[in-house]
Amino acid sequence: MLKFLHLLVPLILSALSSQAQVFRLVETETTLTVEHGSNKVLTYHKAEVAPPEGVDPIFTRSGFIHPVKSPNGATVTGIHPDDHYHHLGLWHAWVKCKIDGQDVDFWNLKTGTGRVKYAKTRATSSKDTEVGFVVEQDHVAYLGEAKTPTTILREQFSILVRLVDAAYEIDYATRQVNISKHDLELPAYRYGGPIAYRGPANWNNETGDYLTALGKTRMDGHTTRSHWCAMWGADETTGKDASITILCHRNNRDFPQRMRIWPPKSNNGAIFFNYVPIQETGWAIKSGDSSTMRYRLVVEDQKPDKEGLNARWNRYCRP
């Protein structure tokens, strides 16, 4: 009997461990959270989140993701840094826009001319091996002397998460439709667009860096093109390395898209990243038109591995 129990207990423990590591999606009135076992992989904010106490409440915003965590639980995103209170983990917005001759900025909330916000949850999916959701977001401009709130873009924003070869792969896709009677003009500008990222507060020149598919770093990566870019740093709790890589889909406009990468002297060496499809050439999303952009994020408990990331990009774009 003891021998039987000795053989049975490891099997039971193994089964329990496997069960604990399934994915699930938890939705509340304020958030959508992807969990993998006990690890909260990412949290999307449906409700508005206020900035730190004493900061202008105009920086309150919904419709972003923070935190994002690695398989070992390292946090790889940052929020509300005191150099840019509108930086919110993973988010996206257009910056230097024109609508009927009026300047509109959906990114820099302090201008009071535009913002992006959660509207509703459209769908959720949940399997043991992957989970995801689709939400609707409104890109609202405040037009004219009366600052009339006008939804310019209605967006379907989708997230799908799975574990592949010891890394989380997060599919991040946006479909923006101009539902207004106004054309949205997007003059060429150095940042803004369909995906942006801010690293944790402790990632800086001393503890982390960037790496692109062409071997560029923060020293020479800004304004270059690349089909993926990785950011990495040391986990604040354990001191161990973790990374997040953004793969750019080959069907995206202006692929391989140009990048906004902060040089070493920017904001005390902080890490910020943005794929910018209008960095070189202006564009417009005219009334009735739509834009679709797709990315895949790879979150790992190691520094970026160029060969491995190239293989992941090939699986993503050349299946």
Side-chain angles (χ1 to χ4, degrees):
M1 183 66 176
L2 288 176
K3 183 177 180 181
F4 175 76
L5 288 175
H6 177 73
L7 295 173
L8 185 62
V9 168
L11 293 175
I12 294 174
L13 291 176
S14 176
L16 290 173
S17 176
S18 176
Q19 184 178 8
Q21 293 302 309
V22 301
F23 281 94
R24 72 182 189 128
L25 181 68
V26 179
E27 182 171 15
T28 68
E29 291 185 0
T30 59
T31 59
L32 283 153
T33 301
V34 173
E35 297 182 354
H36 182 224
S38 61
N39 194 23
K40 294 184 177 181
V41 181
L42 63 81
T43 298
Y44 171 86
H45 294 269
K46 299 163 51 178
E48 291 189 333
V49 176
E53 186 176 355
V55 176
D56 190 336
I58 200 170
F59 292 109
T60 299
R61 207 196 114 153
S62 63
F64 67 93
I65 293 172
H66 174 81
V68 176
K69 294 190 175 182
S70 73
N72 286 345
T75 298
V76 298
T77 53
I79 186 174
H80 290 142
D82 56 14
D83 52 52
H84 290 76
Y85 288 117
H86 54 277
H87 284 189
L88 300 160
L90 281 165
W91 79 105
H92 53 270
W94 297 105
V95 182
K96 189 177 182 180
C97 308
K98 290 278 189 182
I99 298 176
D100 297 341
Q102 177 180 330
D103 292 331
V104 174
D105 187 338
F106 299 96
W107 177 297
N108 293 290
L109 300 175
K110 198 165 187 176
T111 68
T113 60
R115 65 173 47 242
V116 180
K117 59 183 182 179
Y118 165 85
K120 63 182 178 181
T121 302
R122 297 184 63 95
T124 61
S125 62
S126 187
K127 300 178 182 178
D128 287 353
T129 56
E130 65 178 28
V131 298
F133 56 84
V134 182
V135 294
E136 188 173 288
Q137 298 187 154
D138 287 342
H139 297 236
V140 180
Y142 300 92
L143 299 180
E145 293 184 4
K147 294 191 174 181
T148 304
T150 306
T151 299
I152 305 298
L153 300 177
R154 181 147 289 159
E155 174 184 33
Q156 287 191 34
F157 173 47
S158 66
I159 289 290
L160 186 65
V161 185
R162 66 187 72 81
L163 184 72
V164 180
D165 296 337
Y168 291 134
E169 290 189 350
I170 305 167
D171 286 351
Y172 185 113
T174 79
R175 182 175 186 269
Q176 299 173 346
V177 180
N178 187 339
I179 64 167
S180 76
K181 64 181 181 181
H182 310 277
D183 292 345
L184 178 63
E185 298 177 41
L186 303 169
Y189 199 59
R190 68 180 181 274
Y191 67 97
I195 189 166
Y197 163 79
R198 182 64 189 253
N202 66 300
W203 288 16
N204 53 47
N205 291 330
E206 302 299 323
T207 61
D209 205 344
Y210 302 76
L211 179 68
T212 78
L214 298 180
K216 305 288 186 181
T217 67
R218 67 186 315 152
M219 299 296 295
D220 55 1
H222 177 55
T223 73
T224 64
R225 296 178 181 272
S226 181
H227 55 280
W228 58 257
C229 182
M231 286 67 64
W232 59 271
D235 178 54
E236 190 170 26
T237 302
T238 66
K240 296 181 179 179
D241 291 322
S243 63
I244 179 169
T245 304
I246 302 177
L247 316 182
C248 184
H249 198 277
R250 65 187 305 172
N251 291 339
N252 288 346
R253 182 186 184 276
D254 200 42
F255 173 84
Q257 292 171 339
R258 291 188 182 270
M259 301 172 291
R260 174 65 170 147
I261 291 176
W262 276 355
K265 293 183 180 180
S266 289
N267 301 291
N268 298 313
I271 290 183
F272 161 81
F273 176 81
N274 184 204
Y275 266 123
V276 194
I278 45 89
Q279 195 175 80
E280 182 178 14
T281 305
W283 185 34
I285 305 176
K286 296 183 178 181
S287 177
D289 285 354
S290 66
S291 165
T292 298
M293 303 279 185
R294 296 169 56 195
Y295 303 90
R296 176 171 289 176
L297 285 61
V298 180
V299 186
E300 302 179 270
D301 288 291
Q302 62 178 30
K303 292 180 181 178
D305 170 62
K306 188 174 180 179
E307 182 177 345
L309 290 168
N310 281 333
R312 288 183 189 270
W313 186 87
N314 284 328
R315 288 201 300 270
Y316 179 42
C317 292
R318 295 172 177 156

